[in-house]
Amino acid sequence: MCRRISLSLLLLSAITTKAISADNHFLAVGKDGTFKTISQAISSLPMFNYERVVIYIENGIYSEKIKIDRDNVTLLGQSRDSTIISYYQLHTDWIKNPDSIGPAVVNIHADDVVLDNLTIDNIQPEIGPHAFAVYGDGTRTVMTDCNVLSNGGDTVSLWNYKTGMYYCSNCTFQGAVDCVCPRGWCFIRDSKFFEMKEGSATIWHAGGYDRSQKFVVVNSSFDGVKGFELGRHHYEAQFFILNCTFSDSMADKPINRVTYEDSSENRSFNWGERDYYYNCHRGNLSSGDSGDYKWFSENLASADGSPMPGDITPFWTFGGKWDPESTVGPGLVDHELHTRYVLFHFPEPMTVIGKPVLISANATELTYSSGSGSNTLRFDSVNDLMERDLEGLQVMTAEGASASRVEGNTAGIHERDANFDIRRE
């Protein structure tokens, strides 16, 4: 899969990490990088970070807790299994002695954060107690090609219960009670779940703020110790499990609501149990021994709107507010033509790398002037301009300027280059 930060991978194949560090959109961490720790690299960014910054992390073990409190940050590992962020953190220890970093190994307090091609490991050894690997309260969080590991519970705790949207692909999740437990909207595909504790649920969801909140898992596998359970919830929740396999170690226990003896601790539960399955099987499929349980038989038609399997995409999951798998670059909302400059307005903030030049169908050239990090970009001309000079605009890829580009800030798995076609406004 082409990842959003593939530009930085291209640059790495051509220049050294020290050279990348000279560009404020690309920082390098490691023995050959400008920074020796990930925290130093993040702290070097402005508190209000309006442009996408890729922090490339060389192979190695980084024994540090991370706090990402700047928007639009990508952490990119050199290799998934050899770029390791590890730390010993029991949640009870953090409660007794809280620090400003957070309760997890990686703590995300920002929007549009991407974690890619690395391992995050909470190395406390006890099976069961809360021991977060990733905690977050931002929105539009992306994790792709990552190992996220813990022996304890709540390994992945993305908890923005109002507006939180999270996307994961090709990841491995390991943990105990409620290993992956999002609040809000979450879509996970092509991933592996491993439950470490017998009788514990692997996934958990809270979706009581908005009826449309949901947790979707597609094309993934669930395994664990004998007697592990698939899932549970304490509040309103909604699960969609499609094209998934469960090992024969999974217990015959449906996703269920947990209630408290003290009824005052139980929140409203007006929408009922909402657990939906399609093409899910348990056991050794190659031998034909499925061992399916009746409770995960296909029932999509009973969900709100009776979606078909093909309808259940990230765009659908997030109610049309975000499509992290989109390959389509931001197009113009409108433009303002002035005598010798143009203001281009986009539907989202943009990141401008280098000094891009636009060239039109009649060979008019416009040079980037300002606006990176906002949704309005200014391009200047040495000559007076007319509307016809803006037809067919393309970013020039002249020799020596190939790294110059204009792209959308919103987190996703593909680069999305801006489209300056005024006919699409």
Side-chain angles (χ1 to χ4, degrees):
M1 179 178 289
C2 174
R3 293 190 295 269
R4 188 206 176 286
I5 40 62
S6 60
L7 171 63
S8 59
L9 294 175
L10 176 63
L11 289 172
L12 284 171
S13 68
I15 57 179
T16 67
T17 54
K18 289 183 179 180
I20 281 182
S21 298
D23 185 304
N24 60 4
H25 295 96
F26 302 93
L27 307 180
V29 176
K31 59 182 178 60
D32 294 324
T34 301
F35 303 96
K36 303 308 177 187
T37 72
I38 304 165
S39 296
Q40 288 173 349
I42 295 171
S43 296
S44 75
L45 301 176
M47 177 55 67
F48 299 103
N49 185 57
Y50 296 107
E51 302 170 65
R52 172 67 52 186
V53 175
V54 175
I55 299 176
Y56 172 76
I57 309 168
E58 296 178 1
N59 284 343
I61 298 176
Y62 297 83
S63 300
E64 55 177 314
K65 285 175 63 176
I66 308 299
K67 182 180 183 179
I68 305 175
D69 54 359
R70 275 74 162 168
D71 295 338
N72 306 310
V73 169
T74 295
L75 297 188
L76 168 65
Q78 182 177 357
S79 64
R80 173 172 176 160
D81 296 323
S82 298
T83 302
I84 303 170
I85 307 170
S86 69
Y87 200 83
Y88 184 119
Q89 181 65 78
L90 274 170
H91 188 51
T92 51
D93 290 346
W94 186 82
I95 292 294
K96 293 175 183 176
N97 297 289
D99 55 42
S100 61
I101 300 174
V105 180
V106 173
N107 301 272
I108 302 172
H109 303 290
D111 298 337
D112 293 293
V113 169
V114 178
L115 307 178
D116 189 18
N117 206 41
L118 47 79
T119 293
I120 301 167
D121 191 2
N122 189 328
I123 57 175
Q124 78 79 31
E126 188 177 352
I127 302 294
H130 288 136
F132 306 165
V134 174
Y135 170 84
D137 56 19
T139 191
R140 293 185 302 275
T141 300
V142 171
M143 292 191 289
T144 183
D145 296 304
C146 289
N147 303 317
V148 189
L149 313 174
S150 174
N151 288 320
D154 293 14
T155 302
V156 180
S157 298
L158 298 172
W159 285 354
N160 180 338
Y161 72 93
K162 292 183 179 180
T163 61
M165 296 183 287
Y166 326 110
Y167 173 90
C168 306
S169 67
N170 194 32
C171 290
T172 295
F173 304 109
Q174 173 190 291
V177 187
D178 306 332
C179 174
V180 179
C181 51
R183 301 170 187 259
W185 293 264
C186 182
F187 184 97
I188 297 178
R189 72 157 70 252
D190 305 316
S191 295
K192 298 178 180 179
F193 298 77
F194 192 91
E195 171 59 50
M196 300 287 289
K197 185 176 181 181
E198 179 183 357
S200 289
T202 310
I203 56 177
W204 180 97
H205 181 238
Y209 188 79
D210 185 317
R211 184 180 172 90
S212 72
Q213 291 177 330
K214 56 182 67 72
F215 186 4
V216 177
V217 184
V218 302
N219 301 333
S220 297
S221 64
F222 291 80
D223 196 4
V225 300
K226 188 71 174 176
F228 83 89
E229 298 173 9
L230 178 58
R232 66 175 191 161
H233 58 96
H234 290 74
Y235 317 115
E236 302 277 13
Q238 186 170 201
F239 297 87
F240 288 82
I241 316 294
L242 286 77
N243 300 318
C244 289
T245 58
F246 313 125
S247 78
D248 57 10
S249 295
M250 188 178 76
D252 185 4
K253 185 173 182 180
I255 294 175
N256 63 96
R257 180 187 178 212
V258 177
T259 58
Y260 300 100
E261 290 187 11
D262 181 354
S263 61
S264 66
E265 296 184 37
N266 296 319
R267 298 192 60 181
S268 62
F269 190 63
N270 298 320
W271 302 330
E273 198 68 42
R274 296 181 296 161
D275 314 318
Y276 307 109
Y277 303 92
Y278 174 80
N279 192 33
C280 292
H281 299 286
R282 170 184 170 273
N284 188 342
L285 300 184
S286 62
S287 69
D289 179 19
S290 68
D292 290 349
Y293 299 138
K294 184 177 180 180
W295 51 265
F296 59 80
S297 58
E298 296 179 6
N299 64 340
L300 280 183
S302 61
D304 288 351
S306 301
M308 300 295 290
D311 297 331
I312 299 179
T313 65
F315 187 70
W316 174 88
T317 299
F318 303 123
K321 297 177 182 178
W322 180 40
D323 187 0
E325 294 184 350
S326 176
T327 59
V328 178
L332 293 175
V333 174
D334 57 38
H335 71 280
E336 299 175 33
L337 177 62
H338 297 264
T339 304
R340 290 199 173 186
Y341 70 92
V342 186
L343 298 178
F344 295 105
H345 303 296
F346 290 90
E348 65 181 274
M350 309 296 289
T351 291
V352 179
I353 299 170
K355 191 79 170 179
V357 175
L358 302 179
I359 186 166
S360 71
N362 67 5
T364 298
E365 291 188 9
L366 302 172
T367 302
Y368 170 72
S369 173
S370 63
S372 186
S374 76
N375 61 3
T376 298
L377 303 181
R378 172 172 167 161
F379 281 76
D380 293 346
S381 170
V382 297
N383 300 309
D384 291 353
L385 293 168
M386 301 184 69
E387 281 290 338
R388 64 172 178 266
D389 298 321
L390 306 183
E391 296 178 0
L393 287 173
Q394 300 285 336
V395 177
M396 184 186 297
T397 55
E399 185 176 351
S402 59
S404 294
R405 63 190 301 120
V406 182
E407 58 182 33
N409 271 6
T410 304
I413 62 172
H414 298 287
E415 293 171 353
R416 296 180 303 110
D417 292 333
N419 188 323
F420 288 88
D421 186 353
I422 62 174
R423 295 170 299 178
R424 296 182 59 189
E425 292 181 6

